[in-house]
Amino acid sequence: MMNLNRHYVLIEEYKSIQEAFDAAASLGVELHLRPGETYRWPTVGVTVNGKVRVVARGARIEVSSASTALTFVAGASGSEIEGGEWIFTGRRATDRVAGANAILVTGTRNGARTAPTFVENIRIRNSVFAYFGGIAIEFRYARNCGDEYVKVLNCGFAGIFCYSVDTYRSDSLLVDGLTGQLDAENSAASELNAYGFTATAQTGGMPDRVRDPYSRDIVVARATIINVPTWHAIDSHGSEGMIITDATIRNCRRGIVFTGLTDRGTSNSKAVRCYATNSFSATATNANGTSKKGEAFWDVGPSPAHRNGYNRFERCSCFGHGNPSSDDGAIRVENVDNGYYNIEDIQSQRVGWRFGSNVFRATIDAHSVNTRHESVDPSVARVEGSSIDLRIVRWTAGARDFSVDTKVMVNGLVIGRDNTDVSIYFGKFNLDSCVSGSVISTRGNLISARLYGNYGRDKLE
């Protein structure tokens, strides 16, 4: 007979794992999984309706069903998971389409124009999630939650997925290997979406933002995201106040992405001391033909009417990013207001920076080194849109290195053929190490922009 004076119960003391969770919540005690033991999880999953602290240090949990293994609902506010090695043992090749998910923390989505009922104060710490084809951990309609020292290994769609989440902190997350999730209706040509960490909300049409609010006040500190060749390491869709600090990103198609939903861009967000490197071959492609090399940093609003605003990249750097087959750039800026970009790009492929249309008062503090390509003339930056206002407080270039190849730092700042209403202020600006000069127009000697500040027109080529 169980000693009710204990501060914990064991799963083995009950007929089912669901009963053990119910008992722990009812008694107000911890639920323990024994170190060194392997637990076969119920195929129908487990739902947590009350507050419970799960202690699973050293335990292995095997999940074979392509569904959600453990769901915390609104009544489970205050719950925690400490430890545990969660392993999906089902058919990975098939179930990454259907979705095998480990943990779902979800409040209640209420009726039209009614705010959700948030689940609150749930933490997941020191746990490992491996081989889940869908999402390792999803927080939906949640508030004041977070993860610490979580590892996500060889999964499919997402490491941490925040959907209509208010105030979240992720600390020391490791995601190593996301294969991407295919569209079940068109798997051969779909985009293989994958997110190391994402903050988003309802998309499409005209969403009800009382019912489905944007995510806000999300902090991602000291994350390491590795090997996401199909999509994004860390991104925000329409969030407010997302802060990413000290992220290390390796071999991800795109690094840190600030973008939007159909009705709003990301705003008042920043990336600080973040480093992205991409060592994939210039010819490496995904199953749907997309290049495994893409942008390291992306500040791109969803439309001219719904722009990103007041986002910052501070003391960030990237190496080897940029699509070798297009002018996308290693850093892309478009449909944004009042952005700040303190970024060093090293050995970007073909184009370092790409400025699209509708960029108002973008402040650039940059250093570019060895922009390169094997067969075309690479450019430090390209201005390819209209309605652009750039404030270059400092932009310098590193020395050319012909030992790498002979197509290094050819063009400086290239201003496109069909630009209108483009204005560029130059503070400290020196791209003289570029072979073809610092500022070039694709219309010959006619520069299709207003250039002013500390850069003389006599130096234009």
Side-chain angles (χ1 to χ4, degrees):
M1 179 179 236
M2 184 185 71
N3 180 0
L4 295 180
N5 292 321
R6 288 193 327 225
H7 69 280
Y8 65 90
V9 297
L10 296 167
I11 279 182
E12 292 85 348
E13 294 169 329
Y14 294 88
K15 293 180 180 178
S16 70
I17 294 177
Q18 181 68 67
E19 281 189 21
F21 271 88
D22 293 344
S26 175
L27 295 169
V29 298
E30 295 178 350
L31 176 64
H32 283 207
L33 284 69
R34 294 181 187 274
E37 291 292 327
T38 296
Y39 295 85
R40 296 336 191 251
W41 210 250
T43 57
V44 296
V46 171
T47 299
V48 184
N49 296 287
K51 178 181 176 180
V52 60
R53 183 170 190 265
V54 181
V55 179
R57 290 186 293 264
R60 177 184 172 95
I61 300 99
E62 294 188 351
V63 180
S64 61
S65 175
S67 57
T68 300
L70 183 60
T71 301
F72 293 86
V73 297
S77 290
S79 294
E80 299 179 13
I81 295 178
E82 172 66 39
E85 186 180 47
W86 299 74
I87 309 295
F88 181 70
T89 60
R91 303 168 302 166
R92 291 184 61 205
T94 301
D95 293 337
R96 71 188 176 117
V97 178
N101 307 315
I103 309 294
L104 172 62
V105 177
T106 181
T108 304
R109 184 175 188 247
N110 294 317
R113 307 301 299 172
T114 302
T117 303
F118 287 100
V119 60
E120 303 189 57
N121 301 310
I122 291 184
R123 302 283 186 272
I124 301 174
R125 303 184 178 95
N126 301 302
S127 300
V128 178
F129 302 88
Y131 305 114
F132 287 88
I135 301 171
I137 305 171
E138 178 177 1
F139 285 83
R140 183 179 288 255
Y141 308 115
R143 177 185 288 144
N144 297 324
C145 295
D147 66 89
E148 298 176 49
Y149 297 97
V150 164
K151 295 181 180 180
V152 178
L153 309 176
N154 299 308
C155 288
F157 179 48
I160 307 292
F161 195 99
C162 290
Y163 183 106
S164 290
V165 170
D166 183 348
T167 312
Y168 186 96
R169 182 178 177 86
S170 175
D171 194 342
S172 303
L173 169 69
L174 169 64
V175 177
D176 188 353
L178 294 178
T179 56
Q181 188 176 53
L182 299 168
D183 180 349
E185 300 299 321
N186 188 23
S187 60
S190 59
E191 291 185 307
L192 296 107
N193 287 4
Y195 304 94
F197 185 106
T198 186
T200 187
Q202 177 73 18
T203 62
M206 297 293 292
D208 176 347
R209 290 304 176 204
V210 177
R211 186 182 195 183
D212 295 295
Y214 306 101
S215 291
R216 62 185 297 271
D217 295 336
I218 309 292
V219 176
V220 181
R222 294 175 289 274
T224 300
I225 314 293
I226 305 170
N227 194 24
V228 186
T230 65
W231 209 236
H232 302 167
I234 303 172
D235 80 359
S236 165
H237 288 79
S239 301
E240 173 82 15
M242 185 174 188
I243 300 175
I244 305 164
T245 63
D246 302 291
T248 299
I249 298 167
R250 300 202 304 269
N251 288 345
C252 297
R253 182 184 174 199
R254 295 193 178 106
I256 294 175
V257 170
F258 291 149
T259 187
L261 302 169
T262 56
D263 54 336
R264 189 175 80 164
T266 290
S267 60
N268 297 301
S269 296
K270 64 182 178 180
V272 182
R273 297 181 304 274
C274 296
Y275 178 70
T277 180
N278 188 314
S279 61
F280 287 120
S281 164
T283 59
T285 57
N286 294 300
N288 62 343
T290 57
S291 174
K292 291 185 178 182
K293 284 185 177 291
E295 300 92 330
F297 304 113
W298 197 8
D299 193 10
V300 179
S303 69
H306 301 291
R307 305 185 191 187
N308 288 0
Y310 297 92
N311 296 326
R312 299 176 65 87
F313 290 81
E314 302 174 9
R315 289 169 285 170
C316 292
S317 63
C318 60
F319 178 93
H321 272 271
N323 188 338
S325 301
S326 74
D327 293 335
D328 292 342
I331 299 104
R332 183 179 171 193
V333 181
E334 186 170 5
N335 293 331
V336 300
D337 294 336
N338 296 285
Y340 175 80
Y341 310 96
N342 174 210
I343 300 173
E344 178 182 53
D345 67 296
I346 303 170
Q347 290 194 14
S348 297
Q349 305 294 302
R350 184 162 172 157
V351 174
W353 294 62
R354 164 71 179 266
F355 297 97
S357 295
N358 307 304
V359 176
F360 174 71
R361 198 173 291 165
T363 301
I364 314 298
D365 184 353
H367 182 61
S368 298
V369 180
N370 287 350
T371 308
R372 57 182 293 203
H373 197 275
E374 294 180 0
S375 59
V376 300
D377 290 347
S379 305
V380 171
R382 295 188 69 91
V383 178
E384 295 287 357
S386 299
S387 301
I388 297 173
D389 176 11
L390 302 183
R391 315 290 177 90
I392 299 173
V393 298
R394 179 176 56 180
W395 201 330
T396 58
R400 290 178 286 126
D401 182 1
F402 284 110
S403 67
V404 177
D405 58 43
T406 59
K407 296 289 186 179
V408 176
M409 300 290 285
V410 175
N411 301 323
L413 175 60
V414 177
I415 300 173
R417 174 176 295 274
D418 298 319
N419 305 64
T420 58
D421 192 24
V422 174
S423 178
I424 304 175
Y425 168 81
F426 295 92
K428 181 179 179 181
F429 182 76
N430 184 354
L431 302 185
D432 290 346
S433 56
C434 300
V435 175
S436 297
S438 296
V439 179
I440 307 99
S441 172
T442 56
R443 301 176 72 177
N445 293 324
L446 177 61
I447 300 295
S448 54
R450 295 184 300 278
L451 307 181
Y452 60 103
N454 297 324
Y455 191 83
R457 282 186 171 274
D458 60 316
K459 297 182 69 176
L460 300 180
E461 298 187 6

